[in-house]
């Protein structure tokens, strides 16, 4: 499949395996949910009797005191002791195997191309690092909101775009379903296209 780049009249050959896939809604939904769940972090943390400090010595002898026998002052029955069933940090991660994840990425890219929400440019860089120059470059592409995918991370381009609320930039190696699904328009450089095709091959 051939498409023309937005900034020039150069034709780019796109792999059918990456850009002509059927849209599998359930697979895409599963991948998006799994990616969002993996970003969550558990915040609960309590300590059991083996984790609290102290309690290394028997508080009193076993017999003859009239008290209930005790082996440590950090028993859950004592003040300052550990919890019986402590609440720990929870792992919210969901497993999506590699083949399914890549198929979801290919399905999203194919649907973006069918909806004319995917633009391919020869290159995109703002060497000056100035937001004013970035706005001019985006105006030339007709892009007001979306994601720019480049072959590699570029510090100056990221600096120029970081203050723009509706524009995000990611490297091809960092592309994920959430970034693609949430973007109104996706602009990819030819280098990023090649990188993603090699990744999904």
């Amino acid at each position: 499949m051939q498409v023309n780049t937005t900034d020039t009249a150069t034709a780019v050959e796109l792999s059918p395996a990456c850009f002509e896939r059927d849209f599998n809604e359930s697979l895409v939904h599963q991948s998006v949910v799994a990616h969002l769940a993996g970003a969550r972090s558990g915040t609960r943390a309590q300590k059991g009797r083996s984790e609290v400090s102290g309690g290394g010595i028997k508080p009193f002898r076993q017999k003859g005191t009239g008290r209930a026998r005790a082996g440590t002052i950090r028993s859950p029955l004592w003040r300052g002791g550990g919890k019986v069933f402590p609440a720990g940090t929870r792992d919210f991660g969901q497993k999506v195997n590699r083949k399914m994840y890549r198929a979801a990425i290919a399905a999203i890219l194919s649907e973006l191309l069918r909806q004319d929400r995917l633009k391919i440019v020869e290159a995109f860089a703002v060497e000056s690092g100035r937001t004013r120059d970035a706005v001019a470059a985006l105006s030339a592409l007709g892009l007001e909101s979306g994601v720019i995918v480049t072959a590699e991370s570029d510090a100056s381009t990221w600096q120029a775009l970081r203050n723009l609320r509706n524009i995000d930039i990611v490297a091809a190696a960092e592309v994920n379903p959430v970034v693609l699904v949430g973007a109104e328009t996706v602009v990819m450089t030819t280098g990023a296209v090649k990188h993603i095709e090699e990744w999904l091959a």
Side-chain angles (χ1 to χ4, degrees), residues 1-193:
M1 179 180 182
Q2 281 191 348
V3 296
N4 292 331
T5 57
T6 303
D7 52 349
T8 64
T10 306
V12 179
E13 187 73 23
L14 298 180
S15 171
C18 301
F19 295 94
E20 293 184 17
R21 297 285 290 268
D22 294 332
F23 186 72
N24 189 335
E25 184 176 355
S26 61
L27 178 60
V28 171
H29 178 267
Q30 182 179 355
S31 301
V32 170
V33 170
H35 190 274
L36 292 174
R40 296 181 64 182
S41 60
T43 56
R44 299 185 304 172
Q46 294 176 330
K47 292 182 179 182
R49 61 183 296 171
S50 64
E51 298 171 319
V52 293
S53 62
I57 188 173
K58 189 175 176 65
F60 45 79
R61 67 180 187 268
Q62 182 81 346
K63 294 178 179 292
T65 64
R67 302 185 62 181
R69 52 196 170 185
T72 173
I73 63 173
R74 292 301 177 238
S75 166
L77 304 178
W78 288 50
R79 180 178 179 274
K83 294 289 184 178
V84 179
F85 298 111
T89 56
R90 176 181 171 186
D91 183 10
F92 293 93
Q94 301 180 15
K95 177 172 170 42
V96 176
N97 63 46
R98 188 179 305 173
K99 187 175 181 180
M100 293 173 59
Y101 186 82
R102 293 179 178 180
I105 294 290
I108 296 172
L109 292 174
S110 301
E111 187 65 18
L112 288 173
L113 187 60
R114 280 190 291 268
Q115 295 182 5
D116 199 24
R117 292 165 55 195
L118 178 64
K119 298 182 179 181
I120 299 177
V121 297
E122 190 69 27
F124 185 89
V126 184
E127 298 180 357
S128 65
R130 294 171 60 88
T131 303
R132 180 185 304 173
D133 297 337
V135 171
L138 295 173
S139 299
L141 295 176
L143 184 65
E144 297 180 356
S145 173
V147 174
I148 299 174
V149 183
T150 58
E152 297 178 352
S153 299
D154 184 3
S156 61
T157 304
W158 176 84
Q159 180 180 347
L161 295 173
R162 65 181 178 178
N163 289 330
L164 300 179
R165 175 181 298 180
N166 298 325
I167 301 294
D168 194 10
I169 181 170
V170 296
E174 301 172 357
V175 168
N176 60 72
V178 176
V179 168
L180 296 178
V181 169
E184 180 178 342
T185 304
V186 177
V187 176
M188 299 180 65
T189 64
T190 54
V193 170

